[in-house]
Amino acid sequence: ILDFMNKTDYGDFWCNPSFNIEAHLTEHSDVPVFLVGGWYDSWSRATVTHFSDLSKTKSGPIKLLMGPWTHGGHSNTNSGDVDFGPESRLDGNLAENFNEWLKSWFDYTLRGLENEMSSSPAVKLFVMGGGSGKKTPAGRLDHGGSWRDEQEWPLPQAIYTNYYIHKNGTLSRSTPSVNESSTSYIFDPDNPVPTVGGN
């Protein structure tokens, strides 16, 4: 992890086939792949990009699971101060636990057994929102959410929309004028913006 954090420039470290899948697609075997990530994971963008790239070039099966988690947090219902409800966990919802979920995937792909993985969608996403907005007994915001099944990523019905920061601090779809096309802010490494991980 220290190498990840210290190699800031693109070079041989990042160019290898393990990290730059899209530049080395032809070198990767056509094997079943299940990409699992979280919306608050440091590698959420890479996870969905790799799914998209592999889906276009490999027969797989290639699948994607994205939950409201930090890296490896599939057993949690919260990220930071926000709770997504008991349905947000992999454990007890998508499988008894993570090991049983893995076993089901390997039974299907390695042993050829028909199970829930054989009929599962290519993409399973946790869509956040819809909670009460009140504090849970643990003191977190009840944000809620639900699982959604899709067949591809990016979602075909997605509409890409640019938002711009304006000088009064608001976000808007209107392009700022030249006079207000830049702003400044104070960055203090001794007092950083808090994060639970991710982008």
Side-chain angles (χ1 to χ4, degrees):
I1 194 75
L2 289 176
D3 283 342
F4 288 160
M5 301 303 155
N6 290 318
K7 307 279 188 194
T8 56
D9 295 327
Y10 185 77
D12 290 342
F13 179 82
W14 294 112
C15 186
N16 79 66
S18 298
F19 297 140
N20 191 347
I21 289 178
E22 54 272 18
H24 301 276
L25 281 170
T26 58
E27 299 169 45
H28 288 280
S29 299
D30 195 350
V31 298
V33 175
F34 210 131
L35 294 147
V36 180
W39 296 121
Y40 295 102
D41 190 324
S42 298
W43 294 281
S44 57
R45 182 171 182 246
T47 303
V48 297
T49 300
H50 293 161
F51 169 79
S52 181
D53 290 341
L54 290 168
S55 297
K56 292 174 189 166
T57 58
K58 308 294 181 185
S59 59
I62 312 294
K63 295 186 183 252
L64 172 67
L65 175 67
M66 290 294 288
W69 314 310
T70 56
H71 190 72
H74 47 73
S75 297
N76 299 328
T77 66
N78 68 286
S79 288
D81 294 332
V82 179
D83 193 278
F84 302 101
E87 306 82 32
S88 65
R89 296 168 39 129
L90 183 150
D91 303 26
N93 292 299
L94 307 182
E96 182 181 333
N97 56 52
F98 189 61
N99 284 339
E100 288 299 315
W101 183 84
L102 288 171
K103 183 180 181 304
S104 180
W105 171 248
F106 292 133
D107 282 347
Y108 166 56
T109 56
L110 299 177
R111 299 177 68 204
L113 301 179
E114 292 294 318
N115 59 25
E116 61 277 5
M117 289 293 182
S118 57
S119 60
S120 68
V123 177
K124 191 166 200 73
L125 310 169
F126 192 84
V127 179
M128 299 174 278
S132 70
K134 297 178 181 175
K135 294 279 185 174
T136 66
R140 293 187 174 95
L141 175 71
D142 173 25
H143 194 63
S146 60
W147 290 101
R148 176 176 170 172
D149 295 343
E150 293 289 342
Q151 293 304 316
E152 59 188 296
W153 183 272
L155 301 178
Q157 65 273 33
I159 299 171
Y160 292 90
T161 308
N162 291 324
Y163 282 86
Y164 303 92
I165 299 173
H166 289 261
K167 67 180 176 181
N168 62 357
T170 61
L171 278 178
S172 171
R173 290 187 287 184
S174 62
T175 306
S177 67
V178 174
N179 291 340
E180 58 179 30
S181 63
S182 67
T183 189
S184 62
Y185 59 91
I186 296 171
F187 169 71
D188 183 356
D190 290 329
N191 185 21
V193 174
T195 177
V196 293
N199 299 312

